[in-house]
Amino acid sequence: MTDISTETRSVVIEREIPFPSEKIWRALTQPHLIQEWLMKSDFKPAVDHRFSFNADWGSVDCKVLEVEPNTTLSYSWDAYGLESTVTWTLTPTGTGTHLRMEQSGFRPDQRQAYGGARSGWTQFLGNLEQVLARME
């Protein structure tokens, strides 16, 4: 029998993006670029670095968990009772990069946060693609 109180859900968004992984990596790891598509932050791509994302509605406390340049980036995402992990995976393709974003750790009683993340990340990734198109 499965204990549903410990089951968690994930928001997963995958996109084929017509840019090299190095360019996407810059947009995922440079604070001035992160601010353009996500939120203001004091992010540094260094394992164990603690940082926060800040927006009008509040802030998100984070800690870098994994950094594999141009391939994988993972950080904790803790806000308003939600303790989750965001993982970015970049895989080169013949026409650019397959980008996968997963935010994992939504408990069954966090339906509102889960729904908000689903719509929020879709919008954020749209913003990311616009930033990438403007970058040199």
Side-chain angles (χ1 to χ4, degrees):
M1 186 168 151
T2 304
D3 178 4
I4 58 172
S5 66
T6 60
E7 287 182 9
T8 61
R9 295 194 292 174
S10 296
V11 171
V12 176
I13 299 175
E14 298 185 72
R15 297 215 172 141
E16 291 293 325
I17 299 183
F19 298 107
S21 58
E22 295 81 9
K23 183 174 189 173
I24 298 168
W25 183 260
R26 285 197 314 272
L28 294 177
T29 60
Q30 294 181 3
H32 71 284
L33 294 173
I34 296 168
Q35 181 175 343
E36 287 187 47
W37 66 270
L38 183 58
M39 287 179 260
K40 227 181 225 189
S41 77
D42 53 345
F43 177 84
K44 289 182 186 154
V47 173
D48 291 332
H49 172 67
R50 292 187 180 278
F51 66 101
S52 41
F53 288 115
N54 298 289
D56 295 341
W57 51 264
S59 66
V60 181
D61 295 322
C62 304
K63 178 179 159 183
V64 178
L65 304 173
E66 181 180 0
V67 176
E68 193 173 323
N70 305 318
T71 305
T72 307
L73 175 64
S74 182
Y75 44 81
S76 63
W77 178 284
D78 302 338
Y80 302 104
L82 171 65
E83 294 180 2
S84 61
T85 301
V86 174
T87 302
W88 299 90
T89 307
L90 290 72
T91 307
T93 65
T95 57
T97 303
H98 178 86
L99 177 66
R100 182 179 195 274
M101 187 289 312
E102 177 178 3
Q103 184 175 10
S104 60
F106 294 91
R107 296 185 318 264
D109 65 337
Q110 294 176 315
R111 284 195 184 116
Q112 186 174 358
Y114 178 78
R118 284 181 53 193
S119 62
W121 282 115
T122 299
Q123 182 179 349
F124 290 142
L125 264 70
N127 295 345
L128 172 62
E129 289 188 63
Q130 291 175 9
V131 168
L132 290 165
R134 289 192 307 263
M135 285 171 58
E136 301 255 339

